[in-house]
Short mmCIF file of all heavy atoms in Angstrom, two decimals:
data_model
loop_
_atom_site.label_atom_id
_atom_site.label_comp_id
_atom_site.label_asym_id
_atom_site.label_seq_id
_atom_site.Cartn_x
_atom_site.Cartn_y
_atom_site.Cartn_z
N ASP A 142 -4.75 -10.71 -16.26
CA ASP A 142 -5.43 -9.44 -16.04
C ASP A 142 -6.94 -9.54 -16.18
O ASP A 142 -7.67 -9.52 -15.19
CB ASP A 142 -4.86 -8.37 -17.00
CG ASP A 142 -5.48 -7.01 -16.77
OD1 ASP A 142 -5.77 -6.68 -15.60
OD2 ASP A 142 -5.68 -6.25 -17.74
N SER A 143 -7.44 -9.68 -17.42
CA SER A 143 -8.87 -9.41 -17.62
C SER A 143 -9.81 -10.44 -17.01
O SER A 143 -10.97 -10.13 -16.73
CB SER A 143 -9.17 -9.23 -19.11
OG SER A 143 -8.77 -10.36 -19.84
N VAL A 145 -9.61 -11.70 -14.07
CA VAL A 145 -9.63 -11.54 -12.61
C VAL A 145 -10.07 -10.12 -12.29
O VAL A 145 -9.58 -9.16 -12.89
CB VAL A 145 -8.21 -11.78 -12.03
CG1 VAL A 145 -8.21 -11.60 -10.51
CG2 VAL A 145 -7.71 -13.16 -12.41
N GLY A 146 -11.02 -9.97 -11.38
CA GLY A 146 -11.35 -8.62 -10.92
C GLY A 146 -12.73 -8.12 -11.29
O GLY A 146 -13.14 -7.08 -10.80
N GLY A 147 -13.42 -8.85 -12.18
CA GLY A 147 -14.84 -8.56 -12.38
C GLY A 147 -15.18 -7.39 -13.28
O GLY A 147 -16.34 -6.99 -13.36
N LYS A 148 -14.20 -6.82 -13.99
CA LYS A 148 -14.57 -5.79 -14.97
C LYS A 148 -15.09 -6.50 -16.21
O LYS A 148 -14.40 -7.33 -16.79
CB LYS A 148 -13.37 -4.93 -15.34
CG LYS A 148 -13.06 -3.83 -14.35
CD LYS A 148 -12.01 -2.88 -14.88
CE LYS A 148 -11.68 -1.80 -13.88
NZ LYS A 148 -10.56 -0.95 -14.34
N PHE A 163 -19.44 -4.23 -13.11
CA PHE A 163 -18.58 -5.05 -12.26
C PHE A 163 -19.38 -6.30 -11.93
O PHE A 163 -20.45 -6.23 -11.33
CB PHE A 163 -18.23 -4.31 -10.97
CG PHE A 163 -17.21 -3.22 -11.17
CD1 PHE A 163 -17.60 -1.89 -11.26
CD2 PHE A 163 -15.87 -3.53 -11.27
CE1 PHE A 163 -16.65 -0.89 -11.46
CE2 PHE A 163 -14.91 -2.53 -11.47
CZ PHE A 163 -15.31 -1.21 -11.55
N GLU A 190 1.49 -6.99 -19.75
CA GLU A 190 0.71 -6.86 -18.50
C GLU A 190 1.44 -7.53 -17.33
O GLU A 190 1.32 -7.09 -16.20
CB GLU A 190 -0.69 -7.48 -18.67
CG GLU A 190 -1.59 -6.79 -19.70
CD GLU A 190 -2.26 -5.51 -19.16
OE1 GLU A 190 -2.01 -5.11 -18.01
OE2 GLU A 190 -3.03 -4.90 -19.94
N LYS A 193 4.03 -5.21 -16.00
CA LYS A 193 3.35 -4.10 -15.31
C LYS A 193 3.26 -4.35 -13.79
O LYS A 193 3.46 -3.43 -13.00
CB LYS A 193 1.94 -3.94 -15.91
CG LYS A 193 1.12 -2.83 -15.35
CD LYS A 193 -0.31 -2.94 -15.85
CE LYS A 193 -1.12 -3.97 -15.06
NZ LYS A 193 -2.53 -4.05 -15.46
N TYR A 194 3.01 -5.61 -13.40
CA TYR A 194 2.87 -5.90 -11.96
C TYR A 194 4.19 -5.68 -11.22
O TYR A 194 4.21 -5.14 -10.12
CB TYR A 194 2.37 -7.33 -11.73
CG TYR A 194 0.94 -7.52 -12.17
CD1 TYR A 194 0.63 -8.21 -13.34
CD2 TYR A 194 -0.10 -6.98 -11.42
CE1 TYR A 194 -0.68 -8.37 -13.75
CE2 TYR A 194 -1.42 -7.15 -11.83
CZ TYR A 194 -1.69 -7.84 -12.99
OH TYR A 194 -2.99 -7.99 -13.40
N LYS A 232 -2.85 -8.83 -8.56
CA LYS A 232 -4.14 -8.28 -8.97
C LYS A 232 -5.20 -8.56 -7.92
O LYS A 232 -6.00 -7.69 -7.57
CB LYS A 232 -4.57 -8.82 -10.33
CG LYS A 232 -5.92 -8.24 -10.74
CD LYS A 232 -6.09 -7.95 -12.18
CE LYS A 232 -7.37 -7.13 -12.39
NZ LYS A 232 -7.72 -6.96 -13.77
N ILE A 235 -4.94 -6.20 -4.98
CA ILE A 235 -5.39 -4.83 -5.29
C ILE A 235 -6.91 -4.79 -5.40
O ILE A 235 -7.57 -3.92 -4.82
CB ILE A 235 -4.70 -4.33 -6.59
CG1 ILE A 235 -3.22 -4.09 -6.33
CG2 ILE A 235 -5.37 -3.06 -7.11
CD1 ILE A 235 -2.39 -3.77 -7.57
N VAL A 236 -7.48 -5.77 -6.12
CA VAL A 236 -8.94 -5.78 -6.32
C VAL A 236 -9.67 -6.01 -4.99
O VAL A 236 -10.71 -5.40 -4.73
CB VAL A 236 -9.33 -6.86 -7.36
CG1 VAL A 236 -10.83 -7.11 -7.38
CG2 VAL A 236 -8.85 -6.45 -8.75
N ASP A 239 -9.97 -2.73 -3.36
CA ASP A 239 -10.59 -1.60 -4.09
C ASP A 239 -11.30 -2.15 -5.32
O ASP A 239 -10.86 -1.93 -6.45
CB ASP A 239 -9.51 -0.59 -4.48
CG ASP A 239 -10.07 0.58 -5.29
OD1 ASP A 239 -11.28 0.86 -5.19
OD2 ASP A 239 -9.28 1.21 -6.02
N GLU A 240 -12.42 -2.83 -5.09
CA GLU A 240 -13.09 -3.53 -6.20
C GLU A 240 -13.49 -2.58 -7.33
O GLU A 240 -13.36 -2.89 -8.50
CB GLU A 240 -14.33 -4.26 -5.65
CG GLU A 240 -15.05 -5.08 -6.70
CD GLU A 240 -16.30 -5.76 -6.17
OE1 GLU A 240 -16.71 -5.46 -5.03
OE2 GLU A 240 -16.85 -6.60 -6.91
N GLU A 242 -12.48 0.53 -8.15
CA GLU A 242 -11.50 1.53 -8.59
C GLU A 242 -11.77 2.93 -8.04
O GLU A 242 -11.83 3.91 -8.77
CB GLU A 242 -11.41 1.56 -10.12
CG GLU A 242 -10.09 2.12 -10.61
CD GLU A 242 -9.87 1.94 -12.10
OE1 GLU A 242 -10.05 0.82 -12.61
OE2 GLU A 242 -9.51 2.93 -12.74
N ARG A 246 -6.86 0.56 -7.11
CA ARG A 246 -6.99 -0.23 -8.35
C ARG A 246 -6.49 0.55 -9.56
O ARG A 246 -6.07 -0.04 -10.55
CB ARG A 246 -8.45 -0.67 -8.54
CG ARG A 246 -8.61 -1.61 -9.73
CD ARG A 246 -9.91 -2.38 -9.71
NE ARG A 246 -9.97 -3.28 -10.86
CZ ARG A 246 -10.84 -4.24 -11.03
NH1 ARG A 246 -11.77 -4.45 -10.11
NH2 ARG A 246 -10.81 -5.01 -12.09
N ALA A 247 -6.52 1.89 -9.46
CA ALA A 247 -6.05 2.71 -10.59
C ALA A 247 -4.58 2.42 -10.91
O ALA A 247 -4.13 2.67 -12.04
CB ALA A 247 -6.25 4.19 -10.27
N LEU A 249 -3.35 -0.29 -11.52
CA LEU A 249 -3.33 -1.28 -12.61
C LEU A 249 -3.34 -0.60 -13.97
O LEU A 249 -3.16 -1.25 -14.99
CB LEU A 249 -4.54 -2.23 -12.49
CG LEU A 249 -4.58 -3.11 -11.24
CD1 LEU A 249 -5.90 -3.86 -11.15
CD2 LEU A 249 -3.42 -4.11 -11.26
N ASN A 250 -3.57 0.70 -13.97
CA ASN A 250 -3.57 1.44 -15.23
C ASN A 250 -2.19 1.98 -15.59
O ASN A 250 -2.07 2.81 -16.50
CB ASN A 250 -4.58 2.61 -15.18
CG ASN A 250 -5.99 2.10 -15.02
OD1 ASN A 250 -6.29 0.99 -15.47
ND2 ASN A 250 -6.85 2.87 -14.39
N HIS A 253 -1.31 2.78 -19.14
CA HIS A 253 -2.54 2.71 -19.93
C HIS A 253 -3.00 4.06 -20.50
O HIS A 253 -3.74 4.07 -21.49
CB HIS A 253 -3.67 2.08 -19.11
CG HIS A 253 -3.56 0.59 -19.02
ND1 HIS A 253 -2.50 -0.05 -18.42
CD2 HIS A 253 -4.37 -0.41 -19.49
CE1 HIS A 253 -2.67 -1.37 -18.50
NE2 HIS A 253 -3.80 -1.61 -19.14
N HIS A 271 -3.05 -4.56 -27.55
CA HIS A 271 -3.21 -3.86 -26.27
C HIS A 271 -1.96 -3.99 -25.38
O HIS A 271 -1.43 -3.00 -24.88
CB HIS A 271 -4.46 -4.36 -25.54
CG HIS A 271 -4.61 -3.76 -24.18
ND1 HIS A 271 -4.98 -2.45 -23.98
CD2 HIS A 271 -4.40 -4.27 -22.94
CE1 HIS A 271 -5.01 -2.18 -22.68
NE2 HIS A 271 -4.66 -3.28 -22.03
N1 LIG B 401 -7.36 -4.12 -16.16
C1 LIG B 401 -7.42 -3.18 -15.10
C2 LIG B 401 -8.36 -3.57 -14.01
O1 LIG B 401 -8.86 -4.67 -13.99
O2 LIG B 401 -8.62 -2.77 -13.15
#
Side-chain angles (χ1 to χ4, degrees):
D142 183 35
S143 57
V145 179
K148 278 189 181 175
F163 285 100
E190 295 281 2
K193 181 190 80 176
Y194 291 106
K232 179 143 191 188
I235 290 172
V236 168
D239 178 23
E240 183 182 9
E242 203 170 311
R246 186 163 182 168
L249 296 173
N250 296 332
H253 282 63
H271 176 72

